[in-house]
Amino acid sequence: LTPIGPNVGGGGGPDEHFCYYDSKLCPQGYRSPERAEGRYDALSNSAPHVMDSYGLGKLIEHVYQHPRVGGSGKVPQKLLKATQRLQTLNLKARPRCGPLLKCPVFDVEYVRTMTFLDTMSTQPYEDRMVFYQRHSNLTQAGSSGSMPEFVARHKLLPALLHQLSTCSATPAAVSQE
């Protein structure tokens, strides 16, 4: 196996299904130059993260150019160099995506809230209660920590329902105050 699929005929690279569906399912703008040109042999000799890195760089640019972001339509200066490195033509120079999450641009309350909601089931009971108390006004429009309705509906509500069903599953949990 190569990082992107089975080794076909000893030549490396993806199988024919990957090649076919890659061009059909992945938007052209997010496909790295080597993928767009069909040079999968270059990818088979690279680290697995290089395709994801390129796509993330493009996604960051796309998000910051969207009119609803409210900025200048440009990637923040703190992210600019990282975005350029993510999209470099030199496959060996493309960084992994994980360290980028430590960038101060991503250290905001909204990201911390989404991360907590993703890991809520593994958090101690006390931390979950503090979260609920601290974020009791998350869905109120105009509040400083408001969250979009679709996030409240599809992320917060399922987490709350899961929490309630877990708490009410045992008589001991129901009797707690």
Side-chain angles (χ1 to χ4, degrees), residues 14-36:
D15 64 11
E16 62 189 55
H17 298 294
F18 180 92
C19 296
Y20 177 78
Y21 287 109
D22 179 42
S23 63
K24 304 285 186 223
L25 298 175
C26 185
Q28 185 66 26
Y30 294 92
R31 294 174 68 215
S32 60
E34 58 279 356
R35 286 171 66 192

PDB file of all heavy atoms in Angstrom, residues 14-36:
ATOM      1  N   PRO A  14      -2.077   5.509  -6.577  1.00  0.00           N
ATOM      2  CA  PRO A  14      -3.410   5.007  -6.262  1.00  0.00           C
ATOM      3  C   PRO A  14      -3.932   4.042  -7.319  1.00  0.00           C
ATOM      4  O   PRO A  14      -3.393   3.960  -8.413  1.00  0.00           O
ATOM      5  CB  PRO A  14      -4.244   6.282  -6.253  1.00  0.00           C
ATOM      6  CG  PRO A  14      -3.570   7.142  -7.256  1.00  0.00           C
ATOM      7  CD  PRO A  14      -2.095   6.854  -7.109  1.00  0.00           C
ATOM      8  N   ASP A  15      -5.014   3.359  -6.959  1.00  0.00           N
ATOM      9  CA  ASP A  15      -5.631   2.471  -7.936  1.00  0.00           C
ATOM     10  C   ASP A  15      -6.540   3.287  -8.860  1.00  0.00           C
ATOM     11  O   ASP A  15      -6.735   4.494  -8.678  1.00  0.00           O
ATOM     12  CB  ASP A  15      -6.393   1.343  -7.246  1.00  0.00           C
ATOM     13  CG  ASP A  15      -7.566   1.823  -6.414  1.00  0.00           C
ATOM     14  OD1 ASP A  15      -7.947   3.001  -6.519  1.00  0.00           O
ATOM     15  OD2 ASP A  15      -8.106   1.006  -5.660  1.00  0.00           O
ATOM     16  N   GLU A  16      -7.108   2.637  -9.848  1.00  0.00           N
ATOM     17  CA  GLU A  16      -7.912   3.331 -10.853  1.00  0.00           C
ATOM     18  C   GLU A  16      -9.165   3.962 -10.258  1.00  0.00           C
ATOM     19  O   GLU A  16      -9.629   5.004 -10.724  1.00  0.00           O
ATOM     20  CB  GLU A  16      -8.295   2.375 -11.978  1.00  0.00           C
ATOM     21  CG  GLU A  16      -9.147   1.210 -11.501  1.00  0.00           C
ATOM     22  CD  GLU A  16      -9.345   0.139 -12.554  1.00  0.00           C
ATOM     23  OE1 GLU A  16      -8.342  -0.359 -13.079  1.00  0.00           O
ATOM     24  OE2 GLU A  16     -10.518  -0.188 -12.824  1.00  0.00           O
ATOM     25  N   HIS A  17      -9.723   3.364  -9.192  1.00  0.00           N
ATOM     26  CA  HIS A  17     -10.917   3.926  -8.565  1.00  0.00           C
ATOM     27  C   HIS A  17     -10.615   5.267  -7.912  1.00  0.00           C
ATOM     28  O   HIS A  17     -11.390   6.207  -8.013  1.00  0.00           O
ATOM     29  CB  HIS A  17     -11.513   2.955  -7.545  1.00  0.00           C
ATOM     30  CG  HIS A  17     -11.962   1.668  -8.156  1.00  0.00           C
ATOM     31  ND1 HIS A  17     -13.003   1.594  -9.038  1.00  0.00           N
ATOM     32  CD2 HIS A  17     -11.484   0.408  -8.022  1.00  0.00           C
ATOM     33  CE1 HIS A  17     -13.172   0.343  -9.427  1.00  0.00           C
ATOM     34  NE2 HIS A  17     -12.255  -0.397  -8.821  1.00  0.00           N
ATOM     35  N   PHE A  18      -9.467   5.333  -7.230  1.00  0.00           N
ATOM     36  CA  PHE A  18      -9.081   6.599  -6.606  1.00  0.00           C
ATOM     37  C   PHE A  18      -8.934   7.671  -7.679  1.00  0.00           C
ATOM     38  O   PHE A  18      -9.448   8.778  -7.542  1.00  0.00           O
ATOM     39  CB  PHE A  18      -7.777   6.453  -5.820  1.00  0.00           C
ATOM     40  CG  PHE A  18      -7.358   7.735  -5.154  1.00  0.00           C
ATOM     41  CD1 PHE A  18      -7.752   8.010  -3.864  1.00  0.00           C
ATOM     42  CD2 PHE A  18      -6.583   8.667  -5.827  1.00  0.00           C
ATOM     43  CE1 PHE A  18      -7.375   9.200  -3.248  1.00  0.00           C
ATOM     44  CE2 PHE A  18      -6.200   9.860  -5.223  1.00  0.00           C
ATOM     45  CZ  PHE A  18      -6.608  10.124  -3.932  1.00  0.00           C
ATOM     46  N   CYS A  19      -8.231   7.361  -8.749  1.00  0.00           N
ATOM     47  CA  CYS A  19      -7.998   8.334  -9.820  1.00  0.00           C
ATOM     48  C   CYS A  19      -9.322   8.818 -10.414  1.00  0.00           C
ATOM     49  O   CYS A  19      -9.514  10.012 -10.646  1.00  0.00           O
ATOM     50  CB  CYS A  19      -7.128   7.736 -10.913  1.00  0.00           C
ATOM     51  SG  CYS A  19      -5.469   7.318 -10.364  1.00  0.00           S
ATOM     52  N   TYR A  20     -10.241   7.901 -10.646  1.00  0.00           N
ATOM     53  CA  TYR A  20     -11.530   8.264 -11.235  1.00  0.00           C
ATOM     54  C   TYR A  20     -12.334   9.156 -10.286  1.00  0.00           C
ATOM     55  O   TYR A  20     -12.814  10.219 -10.667  1.00  0.00           O
ATOM     56  CB  TYR A  20     -12.316   7.007 -11.595  1.00  0.00           C
ATOM     57  CG  TYR A  20     -13.687   7.317 -12.144  1.00  0.00           C
ATOM     58  CD1 TYR A  20     -13.846   7.736 -13.460  1.00  0.00           C
ATOM     59  CD2 TYR A  20     -14.810   7.198 -11.336  1.00  0.00           C
ATOM     60  CE1 TYR A  20     -15.103   8.030 -13.965  1.00  0.00           C
ATOM     61  CE2 TYR A  20     -16.071   7.494 -11.835  1.00  0.00           C
ATOM     62  CZ  TYR A  20     -16.214   7.910 -13.142  1.00  0.00           C
ATOM     63  OH  TYR A  20     -17.447   8.204 -13.627  1.00  0.00           O
ATOM     64  N   TYR A  21     -12.497   8.718  -9.032  1.00  0.00           N
ATOM     65  CA  TYR A  21     -13.340   9.449  -8.096  1.00  0.00           C
ATOM     66  C   TYR A  21     -12.669  10.710  -7.556  1.00  0.00           C
ATOM     67  O   TYR A  21     -13.351  11.648  -7.147  1.00  0.00           O
ATOM     68  CB  TYR A  21     -13.799   8.535  -6.954  1.00  0.00           C
ATOM     69  CG  TYR A  21     -14.844   7.571  -7.423  1.00  0.00           C
ATOM     70  CD1 TYR A  21     -14.553   6.222  -7.566  1.00  0.00           C
ATOM     71  CD2 TYR A  21     -16.117   8.001  -7.757  1.00  0.00           C
ATOM     72  CE1 TYR A  21     -15.511   5.331  -8.018  1.00  0.00           C
ATOM     73  CE2 TYR A  21     -17.083   7.119  -8.205  1.00  0.00           C
ATOM     74  CZ  TYR A  21     -16.768   5.786  -8.338  1.00  0.00           C
ATOM     75  OH  TYR A  21     -17.723   4.924  -8.792  1.00  0.00           O
ATOM     76  N   ASP A  22     -11.364  10.750  -7.557  1.00  0.00           N
ATOM     77  CA  ASP A  22     -10.662  11.950  -7.104  1.00  0.00           C
ATOM     78  C   ASP A  22     -11.094  13.147  -7.934  1.00  0.00           C
ATOM     79  O   ASP A  22     -11.438  14.199  -7.401  1.00  0.00           O
ATOM     80  CB  ASP A  22      -9.146  11.728  -7.204  1.00  0.00           C
ATOM     81  CG  ASP A  22      -8.356  12.941  -6.770  1.00  0.00           C
ATOM     82  OD1 ASP A  22      -8.725  13.563  -5.752  1.00  0.00           O
ATOM     83  OD2 ASP A  22      -7.358  13.265  -7.445  1.00  0.00           O
ATOM     84  N   SER A  23     -11.103  12.988  -9.228  1.00  0.00           N
ATOM     85  CA  SER A  23     -11.471  14.114 -10.097  1.00  0.00           C
ATOM     86  C   SER A  23     -12.971  14.416 -10.051  1.00  0.00           C
ATOM     87  O   SER A  23     -13.387  15.525 -10.336  1.00  0.00           O
ATOM     88  CB  SER A  23     -11.037  13.836 -11.528  1.00  0.00           C
ATOM     89  OG  SER A  23     -11.715  12.714 -12.044  1.00  0.00           O
ATOM     90  N   LYS A  24     -13.784  13.448  -9.688  1.00  0.00           N
ATOM     91  CA  LYS A  24     -15.237  13.643  -9.653  1.00  0.00           C
ATOM     92  C   LYS A  24     -15.711  14.233  -8.327  1.00  0.00           C
ATOM     93  O   LYS A  24     -16.648  15.021  -8.298  1.00  0.00           O
ATOM     94  CB  LYS A  24     -15.972  12.309  -9.864  1.00  0.00           C
ATOM     95  CG  LYS A  24     -15.598  11.595 -11.130  1.00  0.00           C
ATOM     96  CD  LYS A  24     -16.221  12.252 -12.329  1.00  0.00           C
ATOM     97  CE  LYS A  24     -15.952  11.422 -13.554  1.00  0.00           C
ATOM     98  NZ  LYS A  24     -15.584  12.194 -14.707  1.00  0.00           N
ATOM     99  N   LEU A  25     -15.083  13.835  -7.211  1.00  0.00           N
ATOM    100  CA  LEU A  25     -15.584  14.204  -5.892  1.00  0.00           C
ATOM    101  C   LEU A  25     -14.872  15.383  -5.250  1.00  0.00           C
ATOM    102  O   LEU A  25     -15.463  16.098  -4.444  1.00  0.00           O
ATOM    103  CB  LEU A  25     -15.511  12.999  -4.951  1.00  0.00           C
ATOM    104  CG  LEU A  25     -16.351  11.800  -5.373  1.00  0.00           C
ATOM    105  CD1 LEU A  25     -16.123  10.627  -4.439  1.00  0.00           C
ATOM    106  CD2 LEU A  25     -17.824  12.159  -5.427  1.00  0.00           C
ATOM    107  N   CYS A  26     -13.624  15.569  -5.557  1.00  0.00           N
ATOM    108  CA  CYS A  26     -12.866  16.655  -4.944  1.00  0.00           C
ATOM    109  C   CYS A  26     -12.930  17.879  -5.859  1.00  0.00           C
ATOM    110  O   CYS A  26     -12.557  17.802  -7.028  1.00  0.00           O
ATOM    111  CB  CYS A  26     -11.415  16.240  -4.720  1.00  0.00           C
ATOM    112  SG  CYS A  26     -10.459  17.491  -3.837  1.00  0.00           S
ATOM    113  N   PRO A  27     -13.416  19.012  -5.356  1.00  0.00           N
ATOM    114  CA  PRO A  27     -13.487  20.204  -6.202  1.00  0.00           C
ATOM    115  C   PRO A  27     -12.124  20.549  -6.799  1.00  0.00           C
ATOM    116  O   PRO A  27     -11.095  20.462  -6.116  1.00  0.00           O
ATOM    117  CB  PRO A  27     -13.949  21.304  -5.238  1.00  0.00           C
ATOM    118  CG  PRO A  27     -14.611  20.575  -4.118  1.00  0.00           C
ATOM    119  CD  PRO A  27     -13.898  19.261  -4.000  1.00  0.00           C
ATOM    120  N   GLN A  28     -12.125  20.941  -8.033  1.00  0.00           N
ATOM    121  CA  GLN A  28     -10.884  21.211  -8.760  1.00  0.00           C
ATOM    122  C   GLN A  28      -9.980  22.190  -8.012  1.00  0.00           C
ATOM    123  O   GLN A  28      -8.778  22.010  -7.952  1.00  0.00           O
ATOM    124  CB  GLN A  28     -11.214  21.751 -10.158  1.00  0.00           C
ATOM    125  CG  GLN A  28     -10.005  21.964 -11.038  1.00  0.00           C
ATOM    126  CD  GLN A  28      -9.305  20.661 -11.411  1.00  0.00           C
ATOM    127  OE1 GLN A  28      -9.918  19.601 -11.439  1.00  0.00           O
ATOM    128  NE2 GLN A  28      -8.022  20.747 -11.684  1.00  0.00           N
ATOM    129  N   GLY A  29     -10.549  23.226  -7.442  1.00  0.00           N
ATOM    130  CA  GLY A  29      -9.753  24.242  -6.757  1.00  0.00           C
ATOM    131  C   GLY A  29      -9.008  23.738  -5.536  1.00  0.00           C
ATOM    132  O   GLY A  29      -8.044  24.353  -5.092  1.00  0.00           O
ATOM    133  N   TYR A  30      -9.454  22.633  -4.964  1.00  0.00           N
ATOM    134  CA  TYR A  30      -8.832  22.091  -3.761  1.00  0.00           C
ATOM    135  C   TYR A  30      -7.850  20.957  -4.066  1.00  0.00           C
ATOM    136  O   TYR A  30      -7.184  20.464  -3.173  1.00  0.00           O
ATOM    137  CB  TYR A  30      -9.894  21.595  -2.776  1.00  0.00           C
ATOM    138  CG  TYR A  30     -10.728  22.721  -2.233  1.00  0.00           C
ATOM    139  CD1 TYR A  30     -11.911  23.096  -2.856  1.00  0.00           C
ATOM    140  CD2 TYR A  30     -10.316  23.441  -1.121  1.00  0.00           C
ATOM    141  CE1 TYR A  30     -12.663  24.138  -2.382  1.00  0.00           C
ATOM    142  CE2 TYR A  30     -11.070  24.489  -0.635  1.00  0.00           C
ATOM    143  CZ  TYR A  30     -12.239  24.839  -1.269  1.00  0.00           C
ATOM    144  OH  TYR A  30     -12.980  25.884  -0.802  1.00  0.00           O
ATOM    145  N   ARG A  31      -7.791  20.552  -5.297  1.00  0.00           N
ATOM    146  CA  ARG A  31      -6.873  19.476  -5.684  1.00  0.00           C
ATOM    147  C   ARG A  31      -5.502  20.079  -5.932  1.00  0.00           C
ATOM    148  O   ARG A  31      -5.361  21.073  -6.633  1.00  0.00           O
ATOM    149  CB  ARG A  31      -7.387  18.772  -6.938  1.00  0.00           C
ATOM    150  CG  ARG A  31      -8.683  18.031  -6.665  1.00  0.00           C
ATOM    151  CD  ARG A  31      -9.294  17.439  -7.898  1.00  0.00           C
ATOM    152  NE  ARG A  31      -8.439  16.362  -8.369  1.00  0.00           N
ATOM    153  CZ  ARG A  31      -8.256  16.088  -9.656  1.00  0.00           C
ATOM    154  NH1 ARG A  31      -8.833  16.818 -10.577  1.00  0.00           N
ATOM    155  NH2 ARG A  31      -7.486  15.098 -10.013  1.00  0.00           N
ATOM    156  N   SER A  32      -4.503  19.477  -5.363  1.00  0.00           N
ATOM    157  CA  SER A  32      -3.138  19.970  -5.540  1.00  0.00           C
ATOM    158  C   SER A  32      -2.725  19.829  -7.002  1.00  0.00           C
ATOM    159  O   SER A  32      -3.308  19.027  -7.745  1.00  0.00           O
ATOM    160  CB  SER A  32      -2.186  19.185  -4.635  1.00  0.00           C
ATOM    161  OG  SER A  32      -2.223  17.819  -4.964  1.00  0.00           O
ATOM    162  N   PRO A  33      -1.729  20.603  -7.441  1.00  0.00           N
ATOM    163  CA  PRO A  33      -1.324  20.548  -8.853  1.00  0.00           C
ATOM    164  C   PRO A  33      -0.967  19.137  -9.321  1.00  0.00           C
ATOM    165  O   PRO A  33      -1.330  18.740 -10.425  1.00  0.00           O
ATOM    166  CB  PRO A  33      -0.109  21.473  -8.912  1.00  0.00           C
ATOM    167  CG  PRO A  33      -0.300  22.411  -7.778  1.00  0.00           C
ATOM    168  CD  PRO A  33      -0.995  21.623  -6.709  1.00  0.00           C
ATOM    169  N   GLU A  34      -0.291  18.380  -8.474  1.00  0.00           N
ATOM    170  CA  GLU A  34       0.091  17.021  -8.889  1.00  0.00           C
ATOM    171  C   GLU A  34      -1.131  16.124  -9.074  1.00  0.00           C
ATOM    172  O   GLU A  34      -1.156  15.265  -9.938  1.00  0.00           O
ATOM    173  CB  GLU A  34       1.120  16.402  -7.933  1.00  0.00           C
ATOM    174  CG  GLU A  34       0.697  16.298  -6.499  1.00  0.00           C
ATOM    175  CD  GLU A  34       0.855  17.584  -5.697  1.00  0.00           C
ATOM    176  OE1 GLU A  34       1.369  18.588  -6.202  1.00  0.00           O
ATOM    177  OE2 GLU A  34       0.434  17.562  -4.527  1.00  0.00           O
ATOM    178  N   ARG A  35      -2.177  16.337  -8.285  1.00  0.00           N
ATOM    179  CA  ARG A  35      -3.406  15.561  -8.458  1.00  0.00           C
ATOM    180  C   ARG A  35      -4.148  16.022  -9.702  1.00  0.00           C
ATOM    181  O   ARG A  35      -4.663  15.211 -10.459  1.00  0.00           O
ATOM    182  CB  ARG A  35      -4.307  15.721  -7.234  1.00  0.00           C
ATOM    183  CG  ARG A  35      -3.801  14.962  -6.036  1.00  0.00           C
ATOM    184  CD  ARG A  35      -4.570  15.286  -4.796  1.00  0.00           C
ATOM    185  NE  ARG A  35      -5.958  14.838  -4.844  1.00  0.00           N
ATOM    186  CZ  ARG A  35      -6.870  15.215  -3.955  1.00  0.00           C
ATOM    187  NH1 ARG A  35      -6.559  16.034  -2.980  1.00  0.00           N
ATOM    188  NH2 ARG A  35      -8.099  14.770  -4.052  1.00  0.00           N
ATOM    189  N   ALA A  36      -4.229  17.331  -9.897  1.00  0.00           N
ATOM    190  CA  ALA A  36      -4.928  17.866 -11.069  1.00  0.00           C
ATOM    191  C   ALA A  36      -4.261  17.416 -12.367  1.00  0.00           C
ATOM    192  O   ALA A  36      -4.943  17.187 -13.366  1.00  0.00           O
ATOM    193  CB  ALA A  36      -4.974  19.391 -11.001  1.00  0.00           C
TER     194      ALA A  36
END
